[in-house]
Amino acid sequence: MKKIVLIIFILFTLKIEHTLHADDGYRLWLKYDEISNPLRLQTYKKLIKGWMIFGESSTMAVVKKELYTGLEGLLGSAVPEVDSINDGIVIVGIYQSSPLLEKLNLSNRLINISQGSYIILNTRLDNKQVIIITANEATGLLYGVFHFLRLLQTYQDIENVNIESSPKIQRRILNHWDNLDRTAERGYAGFSLWEWHKLPDYIHKYYYDYARANASIGINGTVLNSVNANPLILSPLYLEKVAALADVFRPYGIRVYLSVKFSSPIDIGGLPTADPLDSQVRQWWKTKVEEIYTHIPDFGGFLIKANSEGQPGPQKYGRSHAEGANMLADALKPFKGIVMWRAFVYDDTIKEDRAKQAYNEFKPLDGKFRDNVLVQVKNGPIDFQPREPFHPLFGAMPKTPLMVEFQITQEYLGFSTHLVYLGTLFKECLDSDTYARGEGSTVAKIVDGSLDQHSLSGIAGVANTGTDRNWTGHLFGQANWYAFGRIAWNHELTAAEIAEEWIRMTLSRDPNVIQTIKDMMMFSRENTVNYMTPLGLHHIMGWDHHYGPAPWIKDKHRDDWTSVYYHKADSNGIGFDRTATGSNAVNQYYPPVAQKFTQLNSCPDEYLLWFHHLDWDYRMRSEKTLWEELYYHYYSGVEAVREMQCSWNSIQDNLDEEIFQHVQTMLKIQEKESVWWRDACILYFQTFSGEPIPTELEKPQKSLEFYQNLSFPFAPK
Amino acid sequence: MKKIVLIIFILFTLKIEHTLHADDGYRLWLKYDEISNPLRLQTYKKLIKGWMIFGESSTMAVVKKELYTGLEGLLGSAVPEVDSINDGIVIVGIYQSSPLLEKLNLSNRLINISQGSYIILNTRLDNKQVIIITANEATGLLYGVFHFLRLLQTYQDIENVNIESSPKIQRRILNHWDNLDRTAERGYAGFSLWEWHKLPDYIHKYYYDYARANASIGINGTVLNSVNANPLILSPLYLEKVAALADVFRPYGIRVYLSVKFSSPIDIGGLPTADPLDSQVRQWWKTKVEEIYTHIPDFGGFLIKANSEGQPGPQKYGRSHAEGANMLADALKPFKGIVMWRAFVYDDTIKEDRAKQAYNEFKPLDGKFRDNVLVQVKNGPIDFQPREPFHPLFGAMPKTPLMVEFQITQEYLGFSTHLVYLGTLFKECLDSDTYARGEGSTVAKIVDGSLDQHSLSGIAGVANTGTDRNWTGHLFGQANWYAFGRIAWNHELTAAEIAEEWIRMTLSRDPNVIQTIKDMMMFSRENTVNYMTPLGLHHIMGWDHHYGPAPWIKDKHRDDWTSVYYHKADSNGIGFDRTATGSNAVNQYYPPVAQKFTQLNSCPDEYLLWFHHLDWDYRMRSEKTLWEELYYHYYSGVEAVREMQCSWNSIQDNLDEEIFQHVQTMLKIQEKESVWWRDACILYFQTFSGEPIPTELEKPQKSLEFYQNLSFPFAPK
């Protein structure tokens, strides 16, 4: 009889899963569906029979709920809370406040570890075999519980678990480029999550889920509004709304930060100036900051884009970036708030290579910033291109803590319709060696503060989240959010490890399926570079909206917003000479790096046209001419998208139907658009090279004129 | 043993429901959760053992899927498709094409019935007891199947079912006021559903669910874009996108219509004029319409707002609305397309009561429109106010088919945060007697064409749908979408009947719960009138965004966009004299109506200040003075919202938790805002009346100045 019950039970379970779970992607990687491998399930059930949690606080309530929900889902039935220790009990508590845990003598492992750190340990305690999750504070326990649940989700061994995990970077922050009207700049997943009009009264359920998702990957800060900030965000009306969101996020260990407009004292303060050395202005900021902290006692601080792309800044008053930043820093200091001052500055009235300008402006300011200022530097010197060399400011300002700013939203990487895994892009930058203090001076070590012994460190990712039900528009956009968080926590993880974690949690635990998807992901960004901007090309996308190819953009009101400024194609060749014979941008790097990029025999193909203007018949390492290598990359890019399509189709039976179809459609769009990129770019560059494309290759589908005349009046931007 | 299996089965079912179904509202009223009443379930299972469907087409595929999914969900297990007739079989097929069904001799019931009609019949056929769903076309079957499933959802008897249902109005259309950038005018449920940028390639799943929801309530048309139309909607780029949506909607019996801009021949055609009598212009429209029909063979036609609120129109060229409409009608005629020409016109340069202007302009044109033109008239003469008398054009243009335009989105009724059931509002208008052909000449009979024997008829509802997961922002907004569809199908249904259907399908089948919610809904609109615009007040809301009270609005560039234009409060009294001593708008109604509104002893309190300017101490029927009656209404409005809160809280245990909390929060906002309306309006009108409020009533929470200084910079509009 038991057998029959079991069979019916199983059948019913299968049916329910099938019927109810056309997966719309809302649950992200936090799926706590019952573990489908029976042996695995049996093992886990044996090792997890109950749980105890010590401590009460809003964060502990979240910890408790997550552990309960996670275990119930993964193990298929509720795991009871118990009040005495026994074999197979999971014990969660702050070490210092639990006499029981202190028996484990973990204090030396818990001393001097950074905030958020935790230990997960399968050990004996009072003669029982138990699993311990402990930390110095509740947020550490939250991270620890998420890690523990991830072990189960990804089918890891927990019998001998002994994990000690500490975040390498202190401030792990999402930057939302969201406007108060709920449009999102470079938002491709619907609109802003923040329902400003209904706040503070209506708290949407997804605010909690957003916080939970971030906490699960260790993100501990969020900048709610765009760097092109509306000054109203600091008005009492909006501060009340911001406070309501901060209240939601607080238990999840997430602090709220705001982007501010430098001219706020004028715009909403009624002052005649925003001069950072003006005492009234300084007082206005002090008072405003005090007001903010009455609403939000753990407010994180300000992000600011100043004297950049038309935004106001201190230079209007003859003051430096440092003087501007320090004014804000002084106001925030009593409350332990910080300033994140962006180094994304360039000016088309300065006749200098745009790639050089941030370095030129900021390097002289090294040492002049207050200790609660971080300078936020984009990963590359232009603007989130499919590929850029690392920003030369990394290593150039040893006395200043530098944040790296990555873009998770795919402004230049196919919006939310191209599958492009960014784990590899993030790692490429972080692993780059600046040679600032000799070999091994990686960007990562500069960002995490270890190279120059900074106590403050931070990393920012421009969010790709929006109102789309699956959060990111493209389901694989979730992987980029996930990868950002995981790398922000531990930049030593490989992109492949992170991809595999994400796949296991989100899509499948079947080894073949994992391998197929991981291969797709790991090559996806390189390949997108191939069909968009191979060999170091950059900034050749559509005007303004940045959608699709447009290498022909020229004669605009700003030179440095045109494409021809960057590729400099002519009948002789193509590429931006940034060596000593050109802009000499290469000289901003430390000598070993500068040398590598300067010399053609050591400059990697990936950066060739970034640093060099070369003849069309320049002979590449591959023995191909530059022209041949160029079209070869474009064609192989399209081919690889088609291979991704085949790979995806090959695992259809192993995937949720809704997810399968969603990604399949997206891949069709990516294929179509990769052809568009290829054909438009090749046809355009061919007008300079004058060289043919071999007849055995696909003919371009349309004429160059056709591509040049396309327009996308309401493309998101 | 069977018993144990059953118990486990039941327990498991309950658990799953509990765990998975925190209801986010996405499924609308089409919840096919298993019937929870065991007796009911048993009965249905006995009567429904299998099904047969005759016919194949894209619509039939939808019919089949719906029947299968619905029965599987409601009965808790899949009901098999069978290939031979037997007791308890549901047979679905087009009557004329099924020899089996023809045995039933239903042809006389199916002759001369309107498109979409169907019959549901429990009867004997070949000596078996079967349930028949039959119609003249597949769309009728689709409506029939939805009706049949609704019977089960609402626990109706199907043993003796014998239903014949025909839509009374031919074109049942949603109007989306959606822009191409995905903002939605007067959209309070997020943003536009149409992802223009990703169309035609990416077909979002919710497009299907949108179509399905509409089909389930008989809606058969959708205008995709705002009446303030962007001319680009007619460009080849967008027509391809429109066609993709039309392809999704077609199987669900839904036609696509477009709003067009009258100046399109200039804007995108490059012509120097849009004069409707210009042969080039006429040719441009003909060619454009031909192009549209190559993309969308069943395209419905155009909706147009011309010479209204700044939109271009024929009057610029000295032509009439009829000449404008007829040009478009001539272009559409060969394809059976129609024109819906809006009568929403008023001009502040004409010194005439705004309420009179549409009548003045359109009545003289009666008989001058082509037979494929419908004139679309808002329910009242101003603009979707909480309460208006019916529009005097109804009955005034017997030779012209008139559509009624309702607003489902709550522009003037609390956006998406107030619970206001609009079934009663729709019915109030449709049941109004115009006396056009003597007593009984209701608006409904004019709209459905029966009074004046029009073969073309239509009804429009400005949609309240958006990207919010629950479609309408406020869960009870769904009821208004539902009610619009059901009334469009059959305006003889009562608002209460429709409310009960919706509650049963969406929230609960518990009689006490149904009664509680129905009471809330049925009084909700009257009550919102009480705290917003009692006694015939109108148009006293916030400037531009229309959020909250602002009876003080004056001195704007258009008089007819101010509040004081409408309430005319002064130290003597309040109200708009529209009798013969005033604007004489009352004279636009047929004599019995005009007389009723003119005479104070017959003018209903609801319309009192709409038609009369009365002294503050005017003695009301209630024996109260006008001032007393006014504040009494405002106070009782707030009280009733508080009662709604109590009612809702009293049924918490019977409701889904997520839904309960969502509505509870919304009711808190409604309470807060009803107080705001009450206090702001009373304090403001008190400056004229000079009369006190009894001390036993709540004091206003803030000063008048406070309310006047509130601003809502990014309120949706």
Side-chain angles (χ1 to χ4, degrees), chain A residues 1 5 8-9 12 24 180 191 197-198 201-202 205 230 238 416 469 547 658 662 665 672 714 716, chain B residues 1 5 8-9 12 24 191 197-198 201-202 205 230 238 416 469 547 658 662 665 672 714 716:
Chain A
M1 192 201 79
V5 172
I8 288 175
F9 187 84
F12 194 69
D24 62 15
L180 301 186
F191 291 81
H197 177 67
K198 289 185 190 165
D201 296 313
Y202 190 70
K205 183 179 170 287
N230 189 311
Y238 278 90
S416 65
R469 179 66 180 170
Y547 177 59
E658 190 170 338
H662 161 82
T665 305
K672 181 174 143 180
F714 292 98
Chain B
M1 192 200 82
V5 173
I8 289 175
F9 187 85
F12 193 71
D24 63 15
F191 291 81
H197 177 66
K198 290 186 190 165
D201 296 312
Y202 189 70
K205 182 177 171 287
N230 188 311
Y238 278 89
S416 64
R469 179 66 181 170
Y547 176 60
E658 190 171 338
H662 160 83
T665 306
K672 178 175 146 181
F714 293 98

Side-chain angles (χ1 to χ4, degrees), chain B residues 51 192 199 204 225 250 255 415 421 457 486 506 649 696:
Chain B
W51 50 272
S192 170
L199 283 168
H204 201 293
N225 60 323
R250 189 170 298 113
R255 280 186 188 189
F415 289 14
Y421 173 54
S457 62
R486 295 290 289 134
T506 310
N649 290 339
E696 67 268 26

Side-chain angles (χ1 to χ4, degrees), chain A residues 22-162:
Chain A
D23 195 329
D24 62 15
Y26 182 80
R27 297 179 302 154
L28 295 162
W29 49 83
L30 295 174
K31 291 172 187 173
Y32 294 141
D33 293 338
E34 189 173 340
I35 285 163
S36 51
N37 179 319
L39 281 179
R40 200 41 84 176
L41 182 60
Q42 213 181 343
T43 313
Y44 287 153
K45 283 193 162 186
K46 214 186 296 171
L47 295 167
I48 305 169
K49 291 175 182 152
W51 49 271
M52 301 166 82
I53 286 190
F54 302 123
E56 277 186 18
S57 70
S58 59
T59 297
M60 290 310 294
V62 168
V63 171
K64 194 166 176 171
K65 190 175 170 196
E66 199 65 37
L67 186 67
Y68 176 82
T69 316
L71 292 180
E72 183 186 27
L74 289 163
L75 304 187
S77 57
V79 176
E81 182 170 10
V82 296
D83 51 14
S84 63
I85 188 166
N86 217 324
D87 284 330
I89 301 302
V90 180
I91 304 173
V92 181
I94 295 171
Y95 185 73
Q96 292 77 356
S97 58
S98 158
L100 182 66
L101 292 175
E102 286 192 350
K103 295 182 189 172
L104 292 167
N105 289 320
L106 295 169
S107 41
N108 57 334
R109 289 178 69 178
L110 283 159
I111 275 173
N112 289 329
I113 56 174
S114 52
Q115 216 201 339
S117 303
Y118 53 85
I119 289 173
I120 307 175
L121 198 59
N122 196 330
T123 187
R124 292 197 76 76
L125 178 63
D126 283 358
N127 253 334
K128 308 289 180 188
Q129 194 67 29
V130 295
I131 294 169
I132 304 293
I133 304 174
T134 189
N136 292 329
E137 2 66 24
T139 318
L141 297 182
L142 182 60
Y143 297 144
V145 163
F146 273 119
H147 192 143
F148 176 64
L149 292 170
R150 183 163 68 230
L151 294 175
L152 307 185
Q153 278 182 284
T154 56
Y155 290 6
Q156 304 305 303
D157 172 35
I158 58 167
E159 213 146 351
N160 306 300
V161 69
N162 185 349

Side-chain angles (χ1 to χ4, degrees), chain B residues 488-503:
Chain B
W489 183 276
N490 179 10
H491 54 67
E492 288 177 4
L493 291 169
T494 68
E497 282 167 346
I498 296 169
E500 175 152 349
E501 273 182 15
W502 178 80
I503 298 163

Side-chain angles (χ1 to χ4, degrees), chain A residues 635-694:
Chain A
Y635 273 88
S636 69
V638 171
E639 280 321 303
V641 175
R642 290 172 182 158
E643 279 161 32
M644 280 211 286
Q645 291 183 287
C646 293
S647 298
W648 187 252
N649 290 339
S650 75
I651 52 175
Q652 172 168 11
D653 293 345
N654 303 85
L655 296 168
D656 172 88
E657 196 184 319
E658 190 170 338
I659 286 179
F660 172 77
Q661 283 177 358
H662 161 82
V663 176
Q664 190 186 43
T665 305
M666 290 298 187
L667 286 169
K668 270 184 210 158
I669 296 175
Q670 187 170 3
E671 194 268 345
K672 181 174 143 180
E673 296 188 351
S674 69
V675 170
W676 172 29
W677 271 94
R678 180 193 72 189
D679 292 354
C681 291
I682 288 181
L683 286 170
Y684 172 76
F685 290 129
Q686 204 173 26
T687 65
F688 299 100
S689 80
E691 303 261 4
I693 304 289

Side-chain angles (χ1 to χ4, degrees), chain A residues 429-657:
Chain A
C429 171
L430 291 167
D431 290 348
S432 295
D433 197 340
T434 69
Y435 285 82
R437 293 180 182 267
E439 198 176 348
S441 305
T442 59
V443 172
K445 286 185 187 166
I446 290 158
V447 170
D448 72 14
S450 60
L451 192 72
D452 300 304
Q453 315 293 317
H454 290 298
S455 59
L456 188 60
S457 60
I459 181 169
V462 181
N464 65 345
T465 51
T467 50
D468 276 9
R469 179 66 180 170
N470 72 6
W471 300 91
T472 52
H474 197 307
L475 187 94
F476 277 76
Q478 297 181 357
N480 295 332
W481 180 9
Y482 185 84
F484 171 76
R486 297 289 290 134
I487 286 174
W489 183 275
N490 179 7
H491 54 67
E492 288 177 3
L493 291 169
T494 68
E497 281 167 346
I498 296 168
E500 175 152 349
E501 272 182 16
W502 178 80
I503 298 164
R504 282 179 176 270
M505 294 167 84
T506 311
L507 293 171
S508 174
R509 291 147 189 155
D510 176 311
N512 292 324
V513 175
I514 293 169
Q515 194 57 49
T516 303
I517 299 174
K518 196 160 70 171
D519 289 346
M520 288 169 64
M521 289 169 74
M522 287 302 290
F523 189 61
S524 60
R525 182 265 183 148
E526 190 63 47
N527 187 56
T528 302
V529 171
N530 286 345
Y531 64 73
M532 286 185 174
T533 54
L535 302 176
L537 286 174
H538 52 288
H539 206 293
I540 56 172
M541 66 290 158
W543 174 252
D544 190 13
H545 48 65
H546 300 171
Y547 177 59
W552 46 80
I553 300 282
K554 59 178 176 181
D555 301 332
K556 295 287 186 182
H557 65 284
R558 283 187 72 145
D559 256 8
D560 54 4
W561 285 355
T562 67
S563 299
V564 298
Y565 174 97
Y566 297 96
H567 65 68
K568 301 196 189 299
D570 55 29
S571 57
N572 295 322
I574 184 172
F576 197 134
D577 183 1
R578 291 191 167 108
T579 67
T581 55
S583 79
N584 207 16
V586 78
N587 200 40
Q588 293 182 337
Y589 293 98
Y590 281 84
V593 180
Q595 203 175 351
K596 185 173 86 168
F597 289 154
T598 298
Q599 291 172 358
L600 282 171
N601 61 5
S602 59
C603 181
D605 281 3
E606 293 87 50
Y607 301 124
L608 201 62
L609 303 179
W610 186 282
F611 288 111
H612 299 275
H613 187 85
L614 297 171
D615 290 352
W616 290 112
D617 58 2
Y618 171 79
R619 200 52 68 176
M620 304 283 293
R621 285 187 186 83
S622 63
E623 302 289 318
K624 294 190 184 78
T625 66
L626 172 57
W627 167 249
E628 287 165 348
E629 191 74 47
L630 190 69
Y631 73 67
Y632 169 78
H633 273 80
Y634 275 111
Y635 273 88
S636 69
V638 171
E639 280 321 303
V641 175
R642 290 172 182 158
E643 279 161 32
M644 280 211 286
Q645 291 183 287
C646 293
S647 298
W648 187 252
N649 290 339
S650 75
I651 52 175
Q652 172 168 11
D653 293 345
N654 303 85
L655 296 168
D656 172 88
E657 196 184 319

